[in-house]
Structures are given as structure tokens and as C-alpha cells.
Amino acid sequence: MSTVLVTGAARGLGLDFVKQYAARGWKVHACARSPEALKQVKGDIHAHKLEVTDYEAVKALAAGLKGEAIDVLICNAGVAGREAGDLGRIDPKVWRDTFEVNALAPLMMAEAFVDHVAASKDRKLIAISSRLGSITHNDGARYAYRASKTALNMEWKSLSKDTAGKGLICVVLHPGWVQTDMGGGSATLTIDQSVPAMVKVIDGLKSSDNGRFFNYDGAELPW
């Protein structure tokens, strides 16, 4: 049986990742601050109450799952940081909180679970990033969010180098502009269009994709 671990699993993209993998018969470790919503999903789901910025809790979860192979780890939890998005409105606390959740927390998850992923068959370490983290595509504003996702991208590139000897495939994915609480109702994609497409991309990843940045439809994005 294949196993996936998803953070931010109680709503939006994360919840649909749980549903997609559970429907395929995978064992799913679903991590969320409020995992109650996961009770409605059928399948081999193991819900874990987790605040991704509680690094002692992250380490404890990893220790509790010691010896278990995790084929795909999806670092999905994130925040928008809109209150620190525009020049003239930069709020240092919001900026720091945005970086904490979007950049540091995924790296701490990767550090805690790298051996679990390395012990699996698929060995895929995935971060849900954003096209807004691309320096090439930067058209201004969204300072905190853009910078946090650029930092996440850089971290994952480093991970791809540092874990190459373990055979991991480290990839960042842009889910598209999706109709979630974060994306808003004006977004151009539905969750049903984004997540199944990303799962298909994850399925198809091979060792030569290590350290790359992909759109939800599999197109490569510039850093």
C-alpha cells in the first residue's frame, strides 16, 4: 500500500488531496489544526491534529511514525499574508507570520520526515508553492506572500541537492489560481480542476524532475 502525508488537510486544496488519494486506496496521514472535517471522508485516513509551526509537535509526529515509509509528502499548509502585501502597508508581524507558515514550516516538515520519504518506493517531497513566487513573473505587490513563496522555492531547490543521494524527488507545484478561501471567488480554477491535475503531475514525476518548478498542468515554470 502507498502512503501520503498532507498538511493543511482540513479544507481547500489539502482536503481534496486527502479525498483524491483516499479514493485510490492510499493510506493518508492528514494533518490539520482542526481535523474534524476529515471525519466525513471515507478511506484509510489517519487524522493528526497539527499546527505546522509547532516544531516540537512536528518532531513528535515524525517520531510517532518512525519506521513508516511515506511515498509522497505534500506540504500544502499556507497563508495569504495580504495584510503585508502592499507598499505603505507592510506589517512586520504579518510578514514574519507569513514566512513562518509558508517558508519555515515546510522546511521543518521536510527535515522531520526526510527519512520516512527516503524509505518509500516513490520518494516524492512536494511543496505547494505559487507562480507568485516566480521572480521572472513578478508584476508587483503581494510582498509578503511572493517573498515567502520565493523562499520556499529556494529551499526546495536546496533540498533537491542535499537529498539527491537518498534518491528523493523534490518538486514545487503551482496549483493555479483556485477558488478557495485563499484564492477567492474570482479565481479561474475550481478545486476539481486543480487538485486532480496536480495528482497526475505527482504520479508522473521521475528522478530527472528533481529540483523543478511545475504548474498544476505539468508545464514548467521559471524561477
Side-chain angles (χ1 to χ4, degrees):
M1 176 188 292
S2 297
T3 300
V4 62
L5 186 150
V6 183
T7 65
R11 61 179 183 172
L13 301 178
L15 181 57
D16 206 60
F17 272 122
V18 171
K19 292 177 180 178
Q20 293 289 325
Y21 282 104
R24 299 168 67 182
W26 283 46
K27 181 177 183 178
V28 181
H29 289 291
C31 304
R33 288 179 298 176
S34 302
E36 292 76 16
L38 297 162
K39 294 177 180 178
Q40 63 182 296
V41 185
K42 296 179 180 179
D44 187 11
I45 298 168
H46 302 255
H48 304 280
K49 185 176 178 62
L50 182 71
E51 166 56 67
V52 291
T53 60
D54 183 346
Y55 305 125
E56 291 305 315
V58 169
K59 291 176 184 177
L61 178 59
L65 297 177
K66 185 177 180 179
E68 181 164 355
I70 296 175
D71 292 273
V72 179
L73 189 147
I74 303 175
C75 293
N76 165 75
V79 294
R82 287 191 177 88
E83 300 89 342
D86 298 319
L87 199 61
R89 296 179 57 241
I90 303 302
D91 183 326
K93 183 181 185 305
V94 173
W95 181 282
R96 286 191 290 268
D97 290 345
T98 303
F99 264 74
E100 181 92 25
V101 176
N102 290 357
L104 181 55
L107 183 60
M108 297 299 285
M109 284 292 299
E111 182 180 61
F113 285 94
V114 65
D115 289 336
H116 300 71
V117 178
S120 73
K121 176 175 64 71
D122 289 359
R123 294 178 298 205
K124 296 172 181 177
L125 192 55
I126 309 299
I128 303 304
S129 184
S130 173
R131 184 178 183 274
L132 295 181
S134 167
I135 293 175
T136 301
H137 285 312
N138 192 330
D139 55 3
R142 297 296 299 273
Y143 282 84
Y145 186 75
R146 285 185 188 275
S148 69
K149 291 300 187 178
T150 303
L152 175 62
N153 292 355
M154 182 63 81
E155 291 167 2
W156 242 247
K157 189 69 172 180
S158 293
L159 279 173
S160 74
K161 303 292 185 181
D162 294 340
T163 63
K166 297 178 181 290
L168 268 60
I169 303 172
C170 302
V171 165
V172 287
L173 288 176
H174 168 51
W177 185 21
V178 189
Q179 295 168 13
T180 62
D181 290 345
M182 186 183 295
S186 299
T188 55
L189 294 174
T190 65
I191 290 175
D192 289 341
Q193 290 172 313
S194 172
V195 176
M198 286 193 287
V199 170
K200 184 177 179 180
V201 171
I202 293 169
D203 283 346
L205 292 175
K206 49 193 182 297
S207 57
S208 59
D209 295 319
N210 186 33
R212 298 172 73 182
F213 183 13
F214 291 109
N215 196 39
Y216 72 95
D217 60 3
E220 189 158 13
L221 292 172
W223 298 107

